[in-house]
Amino acid sequence: MHELAITQNILDIAINEAKAAQASQITKIRLIIGELSGVVGECIQFYFDFLKKDSIAQNASIDFETVPAELHCRDCQTSFKLEDSSWACPCCRSTNLEITNGQSCFIESIEVE
Ligand SMILES: [Zn+2]
């Protein structure tokens, strides 16, 4: 994934939300980064500091929370978190799995003034 495009997208969403709320500035953006999303928080931070200049987010900080991958076994219907990278069901060792969480990167909340 391309962090620059993702960061631009996050910033655009945050600015639109802030404007909709008639806020004068954004103070904090909280992001959820899925373990399997391929997004690197440090890269987002780097681009964010660059892109936020001269916008209503120029004083905003960005926080990240990484959510673990969650999988669902199609054979025994167990849901579990991916704790090692074996990609097998802990109950029946099946590899017939579906990813149910941890693939996306999105804004959890925006604080504005
Ligand atoms: Zn299973």
Side-chain angles (χ1 to χ4, degrees), residues 73-78 80 89-94 97:
C73 174
R74 289 192 180 101
D75 290 340
C76 73
Q77 309 304 321
T78 300
F80 61 98
C89 172
C91 296
C92 70
R93 307 311 296 170
S94 168
L97 306 171

Side-chain angles (χ1 to χ4, degrees), residues 51-68:
L51 294 168
K52 72 182 184 181
K53 285 178 189 147
D54 302 320
S55 78
I56 62 168
Q58 63 182 337
N59 296 316
S61 60
I62 194 158
D63 270 5
F64 309 101
E65 189 186 330
T66 305
V67 295

